[in-house]
Amino acid sequence: MHEYVQQEVLKQHGLSNRRKILLAGPPGTGKTMTAGVLANTLGLPMVAVRLDMILSRYMGESSAKLHQVFEFIANNRALYLFDEFDTLGGERGGNDVGEMRRVLNTLLLCIEQDKSESLLVAATNKPDMLDRAIFRRFDDCIEYTMPDKKDISQIIRNSLSTFLTDDIAVDAIVNSYENMSCADVVSACHDAVKIALLEGKNQVSQLNLEQSFAERSATLKLQK
């Protein structure tokens, strides 16, 4: 962010600001939120690029759509989020369809040649599936991990804020549900607040919190 704001200073010395970022890690660890914070802080509109909409069964059409996307990026300054980046950036191999290899080569070329003032943020849950050449096209590659107990405790306290009372045993919740993602912890906390409000209370009880975390945990098990 500092480099983006001070990019004119860098240009005077023949340097450019970092503006291509790859975020990698499990779902719910904050990748999309990071893009939103960057856009909001820098006063840029945030545009989500639907990579699944670029893929076409017609030869050459996917590459043509990619060129259109990057032409738009060049003419419209914004933060562009390429979510599920592995959709197009998957590793090239001998069993790949020829068209997909061409699409990946086009993607690599477009990213490398992009000299716009926009920010490019790519996010993936599967960094191991990305072609090795992808990583060299980005200024920064940042790994996101699942939160540890300390992180979860802080997320609970931040999410509950004024609804949290001193008699809430946060550590007990953390020890029981330490495998949750950041997003799941936040959702469970918000559910606890809703339960309390619907019960006519302005503070969350231990029972409210345990109920919401138990329900969220059960939902996660179903998803697996």
Side-chain angles (χ1 to χ4, degrees), residues 12 21 39 55 64-65 67 77 90 116 167 200 206 215 221:
Q12 292 174 11
I21 308 167
L55 289 175
K65 287 181 178 180
H67 283 296
R77 186 172 66 172
S116 69
D167 58 345
Q206 186 75 27
E215 290 175 352
K221 289 179 181 178

Side-chain angles (χ1 to χ4, degrees), residues 35-156:
V37 171
L38 282 171
N40 184 63
T41 304
L42 296 174
L44 295 171
M46 178 169 154
V47 181
V49 181
R50 290 283 305 276
L51 294 179
D52 59 317
M53 300 295 290
I54 291 175
L55 289 175
S56 172
R57 61 193 179 93
Y58 297 106
M59 183 173 294
E61 188 170 327
S62 299
S63 294
K65 287 181 178 180
L66 267 177
H67 283 296
Q68 290 176 350
V69 167
F70 278 87
E71 182 179 351
F72 186 88
I73 290 172
N75 295 316
N76 298 273
R77 186 172 66 172
L79 183 147
Y80 292 87
L81 175 62
F82 294 77
D83 206 358
E84 298 184 0
F85 194 63
D86 45 276
T87 302
L88 293 185
E91 186 172 4
R92 294 169 289 187
N95 295 325
D96 288 345
V97 178
E99 177 65 6
M100 286 304 298
R101 287 202 299 273
R102 284 189 286 272
V103 172
L104 175 58
N105 288 334
T106 299
L107 177 63
L108 292 171
L109 187 62
C110 286
I111 295 174
E112 185 174 8
Q113 292 182 342
D114 175 59
K115 305 298 181 184
S116 69
E117 295 186 356
S118 296
L119 293 185
L120 308 185
V121 179
T124 178
N125 302 332
K126 305 170 183 176
D128 54 314
M129 291 184 60
L130 293 179
D131 190 273
R132 296 298 94 186
I134 285 287
F135 295 93
R136 297 195 298 274
R137 267 63 179 186
F138 289 91
D139 301 315
D140 286 298
C141 299
I142 304 173
E143 182 181 12
Y144 284 63
T145 59
M146 294 291 281
D148 58 21
K149 290 184 178 182
K150 182 180 178 181
D151 295 330
I152 294 175
S153 177
Q154 190 61 54
I155 292 170
I156 292 175

